[in-house]
Amino acid sequence: MNATNKSAGASIDIRKASKRYGKFVALRDLDLSIRPGEFMTLLGPSGSGKTTTLNLIAGFTEVSSGSLEIGGKSVLGLPSHKRNIGVVFQHYALFPHMSVGRNVAYPLTLRGISGAEREGKVRHALDMVKMADFAHRYPNELSGGQQQRVALARALVFDPPLLLMDEPLGALDKKLREWLQLEIKRIHRELGTTFVYVTHDQEEALVLSDRIAVFNGGQVEQIGTGRELYDNPATLFVGRFIGESTVLRGKADIVGGDTVVSIAGTKIVASGKISGQAAPVILLRPERAVLHRPGTGVVDGENRLSGIVEEAIYVGSGSKYDIRLKDGTTAVVRSPLGAPEFAIGDTAEIVFRPGDVTLLADDASADITLT
Amino acid sequence: MQLSSRIFLGLFCLLVAILLLAPTLVVIPMSFNSNKSLAFPPAGFSWQWYDNFFTNPEWLLSLRNSFMIATVVAILATTLGTLAAFGVTRAAARTGGLLRAILITPMVVPGVVLAIGIYAVYLDTGLVGTMAGFVFAHTMLAIPFVLIAVSASLEVFDRRLETAAASLGAGKLTVFRTVTLPLILPGVLSGALFAFITSFDEIIVALFITSPYLKTLPVQIYSSITRDADPTVAAVGTLLFLATSFIIVAGLLIGMRRGRT
Ligand SMILES: Nc1ncnc2c1ncn2[C@@H]1O[C@H](COP(=O)(O)OP(=O)(O)O)[C@@H](O)[C@H]1O
Ligand SMILES: [Mg+2]
């Protein structure tokens, strides 16, 4: 717990891990590698297996099959109290019969640390989360945010090489959540501990993480930095889960190595093609397109899709438009300040280059799991 | 609510309270009777029955027996009942329900029926008139009270705290000692109190398994009142009434202080 003497974080290697509850498969052949000192976020919709994965790492449940290594050593069969991993829960889980100071001292006492050394470590940990003045309070005298900071101090005070957090800010209001996100990020930077963080909030994942593992149906769909996931989603599910997007569907043909999709009677060109049998769909990010008035600013080789402005929202840095296409799809476009402005009911043309969109294999489940 | 109906309800409550308290309160004046008769209202005033209680070895011995038996019963029943409560609340819902029903039978079965059964078994095993016999029988009667009190605490206990303690490095026993037990302690203590009192004032089974050499206080009271209507029983009753009131008030005060922090 010393900024000048960073403790090395532990690596995690999960190979072909499955977890079954009776007939129900919660995790299916999960592969996940986390590097030492990394801030890894497990992101996915509710029920996708994030908590199950965290519980496996923490030792609260055992895999049905597969392997799990922490710091290069298999921990299968090792009970949670011997794993030396810090865990922060959504529900804080502070001991109500102990003061804040005794809560934080608890893991140290268990490790035979006492006296001045223990006092020093407790004070240091509480300082880190800015709760040093509250050592004599009891958990029920603290707000949710304060309790979670104490829980964080308690999970870190024994210098674990790995910290697991399961939606730790889920019960807090937005302002507090944003502030604590930055605090968690700062603490991660100071310590060098490996952090594994579970959330279903993609914005939170983008703010915090070095890399994000996107979970869907008990499997990891893709692992990458926020930028990689946003710019190059591997699946339609990932593309839709991370950030805003418009999915354009239509009859597709391959023309000269590019894919031409016919949308509401208009041919739209997307660079490249996808492999496999599935029908290709086009994923368009809101800031990759611009809006033009019909027939203006025509440049050869650009795609133009006509539609009616259904919603126009001023968002400070520009405007956000919902455009209803002829086939009923609603497309989202963000215009920067200074771009032509539109009112509800105007006809507008969505303009983008073939290289500015992502081609993905169609997957009906990607729509169902997202609401 | 109308004033008249409020007055009516108030009076009704008072009546019920008097009805509940009267038999107890009648004992107090009787204990100061100067005649050797259990009469109400008493004639005159004297401390002689209290004096008799504290000087007569027969009374003191039975009080000592009751105390010893009740203390051992409280310890045994609290330990066993607490373990049973863990089993019942942490088993699968259906198994737990069945176990609970079985464990609670001593409370539901009529005392006389139980007493006959116990007496029959004790005759064969030579436990009639022994300390061990009293302890076994009373422990059996007391376990359901502990089970109920402790399960009530366990049901509101947040098991996720045990998971958190394990993640911080605590093994199963340490988790129990440092987290679970302190948090269910109010239930355990009230279970222990119930167990003590269950044994201390148990009379039905005691009458069956008693012997002239081993009497508990309730047995002594009963035999003395049937033999010669000795007002000493009123003195004993008054003392017991004061003692239990003291324990309950103390318990309430401790509970209130606990509630504040
Ligand atoms: N103890 C359990 N018994 C049966 N099913 C479970 C159990 N724990 C989790 N599940 C199921 O496993 C799936 C994944 O759960 P979980 O890992 O908690 O999802 P997430 O944290 O991503 O919301 C869910 O469908 C959940 O219902
Ligand atoms: Mg979860």
Side-chain angles (χ1 to χ4, degrees), chain A residues 21 24 26 45-53:
Chain A
Y21 294 107
F24 181 79
S46 170
S48 58
K50 309 179 297 291
T51 296
T52 306
T53 306

Side-chain angles (χ1 to χ4, degrees), chain B residues 63-107:
Chain B
L63 176 68
R64 208 189 65 145
N65 287 338
S66 276
F67 247 109
M68 274 169 48
I69 292 166
T71 305
V72 179
V73 165
I75 294 168
L76 274 180
T78 304
T79 311
L80 295 174
T82 301
L83 290 174
F86 267 89
V88 166
T89 44
R90 302 206 168 167
R94 205 186 272 186
T95 327
L98 192 71
L99 279 176
R100 174 188 291 265
I102 294 170
L103 284 162
I104 273 171
T105 44
M107 225 166 92

